[in-house]
Amino acid sequence: MSKNRNIIEGRILSFDKSPFSKDFDLSSLKIDKKRIFIIDGIIESIEPVNFINPEFQDIEIIDYGDHLISAGFVDAHVHYPQTAIIASWGKRLIDWLNTYTFPEEMRFSNLNYASEIAARYIDFSLSNGTTTMASYCTIHPESVDAFFKSAAVKNMCVVGGKTCMDRNAPGDLCDSAKSAYDDSKALLQKWHHKGRAHYAITPRFSPTSTPDQLLALGSLWSEFPECLMQTHLSEQVDEIDWVRKLFPKARDYLDTYETFGLLGERGVYGHAIHLEAREIDRLSEVGASLIHCPTSNTFIGSGLFNMEDLTSRSLKVGLASDIGGGSSFSMLRTMAVAYEVAQLRGLALHPSQLMWLATQGSAKALHLDNQIGNIAPGMAADLVVLDLSSTPTISQRSARANDVWEELFPTIMMGDDRAIAATYVAGKKI
Ligand code: GUN
Ligand code: ZN
């Protein structure tokens, strides 16, 4: 069969090393105009612009001029079912869940509704340059099918899982320890590694699971250790107090997961703001993943993630919108708020660090960095093309730039979907 070939060129941002590593040298990060050769959705090579590859004869070169081509954004923690309730006013976490989230999630027992919102969510994400996300679905298996099917239509690499809850939620939104185990296992067997889909075992958070349910899901994870397990951890102070009351024997919040087999290297813990020293030590010992959700943490009033400390440990740190607690589908906006949150803690994140978090950092946190999150031979051609002068306010600032980072930073701080000149999934322009 003939192979699908494409060539695109522009200024390429790729990483050999994390800009958070101690010996990182910014001058080693070259952003030159280059040509990317793609075969069947996989990057074949990255070459100088005058390079001619005889295997690609007669293939049109798509030249993006001075636009910046990056790996597509990886949003490492979202709730696609909350798409329609984004920007809901005036509540903090537990009230926000009860007032806005749970009533909306109840609607996902209907496959048609779930499919409509999943398709809408995927479209919003792609138009913002996000090519991979890890999404919580609802307790309904239909919501999981809808998510993976909508992503498969676009051939996207995604992570998803049935959210499990068997207490402290409306009756219609509760499963049980047994049905959570059975349904999660059936969905995992149906979707994990089907095309570009990855299943994540998904207890919502310990307040909405009984010890029996946490134990059942811990046992499922031990049967399928190659899967990710995603949940929430230490997002809000009131939530932590509640966890203490619900689990009086636990040493801390993390212990409510560890006791039931839900702590591990493939554990992906969202928010992780108010961590105690023991929790950070244990998470580091196992090499877990923490996901920073800055727009959500400011919007719901949760707190300021400690980027400086947590990136200095043996942890993987990713970045996420946390739709619909987060207030934007854009990973540019998410990077902007990550910058502002770090500033409030006395740290100025460099644009290279922000871009790394939104691509390779998140891909590593999801254990997908062998496929996505960077521009390199063998990686999927999931790409975002950024116009660094997408609006008058941005272009008048970037015109003054002395280097590419200064040119990029106004787009990070002020950019939105107008900055997305193109999104590619597996080599195909969407
Ligand atoms: N904690 C438990 N569930 C949720 C959720 O849906 N969103 C956020 N931000 N935090 C949670
Ligand atoms: Zn969340």
Side-chain angles (χ1 to χ4, degrees), residues 79 82 93 96-97 101 204-205 232 235 271 296 300 322 325:
H79 301 255
Q82 298 170 12
L93 180 60
W96 174 83
L97 285 171
T101 308
R204 180 175 218 121
F205 65 158
H232 296 83
E235 178 176 358
H271 302 278
S296 169
I300 314 186
D322 189 29

Side-chain angles (χ1 to χ4, degrees), residues 5-17:
R5 292 182 160 80
N6 345 44
I7 311 173
I8 65 175
E9 69 181 45
R11 286 190 289 171
I12 310 288
L13 172 61
S14 66
F15 293 96
D16 293 335
K17 200 172 208 173

